[in-house]
Amino acid sequence: MTGDDDPQPGLDPGGGPDAGGDPPAEPGPSQSLDRPARQAAPPVLPTPGPGPSSARSARFRRRESDDDSPMMDKLQGYFGLSKTPFGRGLAPGMLHRHAAHSEAIARIAWCVAERALGVVTGEVGVGKTAATRAAIFGLDPARHIVIYLGNPDVGVRGIHTAIVTALGGVPKNQKATLIPQASDMLATEQAERGRTPVLVIDEAHMLAHDQLESVRMLTNFDMDSSSPFATT
């Protein structure tokens, strides 16, 4: 005897074999004592079919895997383009002629016809230079000669030097002789050769006051009765 309340080793409180219960069934050939209970399989969801965008991406991936050409060539070939779109070197005929663009071209053409001073203003990237290029493209090269100054940060002497060089002359060394040389060559080009010089100054917001005055003084011709060139 012991002083504990535990049952004797031969007795099973849960109804084991010593308590008169049925003995457990022996495992069959397809059963295993260590095998976990089988769980229900997850539901199978329908797979959506490929849409137009996924089909296009699959075709592009097949082309990419079969072709080792550069990526931009692949894009041009995929969309059927002959050149890279939206470049800066587009021909004037390829530009979108919206109302503001057409108005700017018309005003520049008027300045050239009247041999006047014109200024094209606008936010960065709106197409000021593109409109000027389109207007110049429409001029008759037999009656006009374009003098383009892309960087005005050259001072007063740089403007006169660019004019003389574009008209086929050799710039003088002294400012006192360079200014009359530029003025005379502009007048000669218009009076003797029948071609109107068109001075195009890009990024004109960088011009200093003395540069603006030098351009204005070049238009003072024949006692301020006419101008031998146009400026925009």
Side-chain angles (χ1 to χ4, degrees):
M1 294 181 64
T2 64
D4 296 332
D5 296 333
D6 292 336
Q8 296 300 322
L11 299 178
D12 185 4
D18 294 337
D22 295 333
E26 295 293 334
S30 61
Q31 295 179 348
S32 175
L33 293 177
D34 299 333
R35 185 175 181 178
R38 179 177 298 178
Q39 298 179 353
V44 179
L45 299 178
T47 303
S53 59
S54 60
R56 179 180 298 177
S57 301
R59 290 197 303 268
F60 184 76
R61 285 194 297 268
R62 286 197 299 270
R63 293 185 182 183
E64 185 178 8
S65 60
D66 298 337
D67 189 4
D68 294 333
S69 59
M71 177 58 68
M72 292 308 299
D73 294 343
K74 297 177 185 177
L75 291 176
Q76 291 177 204
Y78 181 77
F79 290 102
L81 303 174
S82 59
K83 61 175 62 177
T84 303
F86 310 114
R88 296 194 304 173
L90 293 176
M94 301 174 64
L95 298 174
H96 175 56
R97 294 298 185 95
H98 54 82
H101 179 79
S102 300
E103 181 68 21
I105 294 176
R107 296 194 180 200
I108 294 172
W110 181 87
C111 287
V112 174
E114 296 295 325
R115 299 200 297 272
L117 291 172
V119 180
V120 181
T121 62
E123 296 293 335
V124 177
V126 298
K128 301 182 295 296
T129 305
T132 303
R133 190 167 65 245
I136 296 301
F137 180 78
L139 298 178
D140 184 2
R143 301 179 57 185
H144 302 86
I145 179 171
V146 179
I147 306 170
Y148 178 72
L149 186 61
N151 182 9
D153 193 20
V154 292
V156 175
R157 179 178 176 82
I159 295 177
H160 292 94
T161 300
I163 293 173
V164 173
T165 303
L167 297 179
V170 179
K172 302 290 186 180
N173 293 326
Q174 300 297 325
K175 182 178 179 180
T177 55
L178 177 62
I179 294 177
Q181 181 187 19
S183 180
D184 292 342
M185 294 192 70
L186 288 171
T188 300
E189 191 70 24
Q190 200 276 328
E192 297 183 3
R193 296 184 175 87
R195 296 196 302 178
T196 300
V198 180
L199 178 61
V200 178
I201 302 178
D202 209 349
E203 306 294 339
H205 62 279
M206 297 176 59
L207 288 171
H209 178 74
D210 55 347
Q211 291 178 296
L212 290 171
E213 280 296 303
S214 66
V215 174
R216 186 185 69 84
M217 292 302 297
L218 287 174
T219 65
N220 190 357
F221 181 74
D222 196 12
M223 297 182 64
D224 201 19
S225 60
S226 64
S227 173
F229 72 106
T231 304
T232 185

